[in-house]
């Protein structure tokens, strides 16, 4: 399921990106209908909602003020969605500008998706009320759950891009793995993290730092069999997300019976794995 591609680069990596087929991004009314039909989601704010009578003066002909146009329109085409008590901003709807697709290196189940260079992006970001807690697991989990709901609702939503892992994840794989996680299963390590081979032959995670503040390194010669090392990495990522990282050395037994040592690097940024 791996692969590499470079897409148009967004200005920053905050939030999560929804990638639509060209010309298929939804508008505000479509998002409103989505929220009305989904029991866990509500539309908590829309800048285009008609003003409360008496708070904003009517225009000279007695009509409500017109919606902004041009540059103002691009800034106003967004909504705030509430899921599980957490608020998230959704940007990039029609008729506003699409959000630039972020830099992508790792592809998961993208064989049937349109070319990333043609996709149009929308972006989910934690709302201002969540400032300071954007990277806590409950907030990221809520944001990913909202993305899963949108994938399920919109057939033209082709993929999800997750900047911390530099990944793009096909809709079917994203929906199935995230749903399993949300229902108590394993963390979606392939997609919400990724793996790359380092210059010394080690297999290193990409994006785990966003969850626990550390990356995982499976050291040679344990990393020599790439498929086996990736399977081990997936298991370890799941456990590390559950416990929140590693502060001191641990000994574990791998599924094949191999005795392993997990040890934080001196700077604490990596969790290194060797055979005992």
């Amino acid at each position: 399921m791996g692969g590499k591609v470079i897409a148009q680069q967004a200005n920053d990596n905050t939030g999560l990106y929804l990638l639509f087929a060209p010309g298929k991004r939804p508008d505000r009314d479509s998002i409103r209908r989505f929220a009305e039909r989904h029991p866990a989601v509500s539309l908590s704010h829309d800048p285009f909602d008609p003003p409360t009578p008496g708070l904003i003066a009517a225009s000279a002909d007695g009509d409500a003020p017109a919606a902004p146009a041009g540059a103002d329109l691009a800034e106003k085409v967004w909504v705030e969605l509430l899921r599980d008590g957490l608020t998230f901003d959704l940007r990039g709807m029609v008729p506003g500008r699409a959000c630039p697709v972020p830099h992508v290196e790792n592809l998961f189940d993208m064989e049937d998706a349109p070319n990333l260079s043609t996709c149009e992006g929308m972006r989910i970001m934690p709302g201002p009320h969540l400032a300071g807690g954007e990277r806590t697991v409950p907030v990221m989990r809520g944001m990913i759950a909202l993305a899963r709901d949108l994938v399920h609702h919109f057939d033209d939503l082709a993929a999800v891009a997750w900047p911390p892992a530099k990944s793009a994840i096909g809709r079917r794989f994203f929906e199935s793995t995230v749903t399993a996680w949300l229902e108590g299963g394993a963390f979606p390590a392939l997609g919400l993290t990724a793996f790359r081979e380092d210059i010394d032959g080690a297999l290193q995670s990409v994006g785990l730092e966003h969850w626990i503040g550390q990356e995982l390194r499976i050291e040679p010669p344990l990393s020599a069999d790439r498929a086996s090392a990736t399977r081990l990495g997936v298991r370890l990522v799941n456990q590390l997300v559950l416990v929140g990282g590693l502060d001191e050395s641990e000994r574990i037994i791998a599924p094949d019976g191999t005795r392993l040592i997990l040890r934080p690097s001196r700077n604490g940024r990596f969790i290194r794995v060797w055979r005992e």
Side-chain angles (χ1 to χ4, degrees):
M1 287 183 293
K4 293 197 174 183
V5 67
I6 302 296
Q8 182 184 9
Q9 191 167 359
N11 292 329
D12 66 69
N13 288 336
T14 304
L16 176 151
Y17 290 78
L18 310 172
L19 308 184
F20 284 83
K24 298 296 186 179
R25 283 180 297 133
D27 58 15
R28 293 169 48 256
D29 289 339
S30 298
I31 297 298
R32 186 179 293 274
R33 288 193 294 272
F34 154 74
E36 289 171 350
R37 294 174 184 176
H38 200 290
V41 179
S42 60
L43 197 157
S44 48
H45 179 65
D46 183 347
F48 272 3
D49 275 341
T52 303
L55 293 183
I56 299 180
S59 61
D61 59 3
D63 294 329
D72 289 340
L73 175 65
E75 293 301 318
K76 292 289 186 180
V77 183
W78 64 278
V79 295
E80 180 187 81
L81 296 172
L82 180 71
R83 195 189 197 284
D84 296 332
L86 303 172
T87 57
F88 301 94
D89 291 353
L90 179 63
R91 299 180 180 272
M93 295 175 295
V94 171
R97 291 188 295 265
C99 298
V101 176
H103 176 76
V104 169
E105 294 181 359
N106 302 295
L107 302 179
F108 297 91
D109 192 31
M110 290 288 289
E111 290 82 2
D112 298 329
N115 190 296
L116 288 181
S117 64
T118 68
C119 286
E120 298 178 4
M122 294 176 60
R123 185 179 180 187
I124 305 175
M125 302 168 58
H129 293 87
L130 299 174
E134 299 94 336
R135 289 180 60 170
T136 60
V137 171
V139 171
M140 291 193 288
R141 186 182 178 97
M143 181 170 60
I144 290 164
L146 176 58
R148 188 279 312 267
D149 299 337
L150 287 159
V151 168
H152 183 75
H153 183 84
F154 290 103
D155 292 339
D156 294 313
L157 205 169
V160 171
W162 179 243
K166 300 178 182 177
S167 63
I169 313 160
R171 58 174 293 121
R172 291 171 301 183
F173 189 65
F174 180 84
E175 185 176 4
S176 63
T177 57
V178 166
T179 297
W181 176 49
L182 295 172
E183 293 178 353
F187 177 79
L190 295 178
L192 297 186
T193 64
F195 295 93
R196 65 174 178 84
E197 186 174 352
D198 210 349
I199 192 170
D200 63 354
L203 187 69
Q204 183 171 311
S205 65
V206 181
L208 181 59
E209 185 273 340
H210 194 78
W211 293 91
I212 67 169
Q214 296 170 300
E215 294 289 359
L216 179 69
R217 274 180 57 92
I218 299 176
E219 303 288 350
L222 184 60
S223 60
D225 182 337
R226 179 70 177 268
S228 177
T230 300
R231 289 193 296 270
L232 174 61
V234 166
R235 288 177 176 268
L236 292 176
V237 165
N238 178 59
Q239 292 301 314
L240 290 167
V241 171
L242 285 174
V243 301
L246 191 70
D247 295 326
E248 55 187 28
S249 297
E250 289 188 8
R251 285 174 166 79
I252 65 169
I253 298 177
D256 65 358
T258 303
R259 294 179 179 273
L260 304 176
I261 298 175
L262 278 65
R263 179 176 300 157
S265 61
R266 290 188 178 183
N267 61 13
R269 293 176 53 200
F270 299 95
I271 298 169
R272 306 178 67 185
V273 186
W274 295 277
R275 288 194 181 96
E276 187 172 17

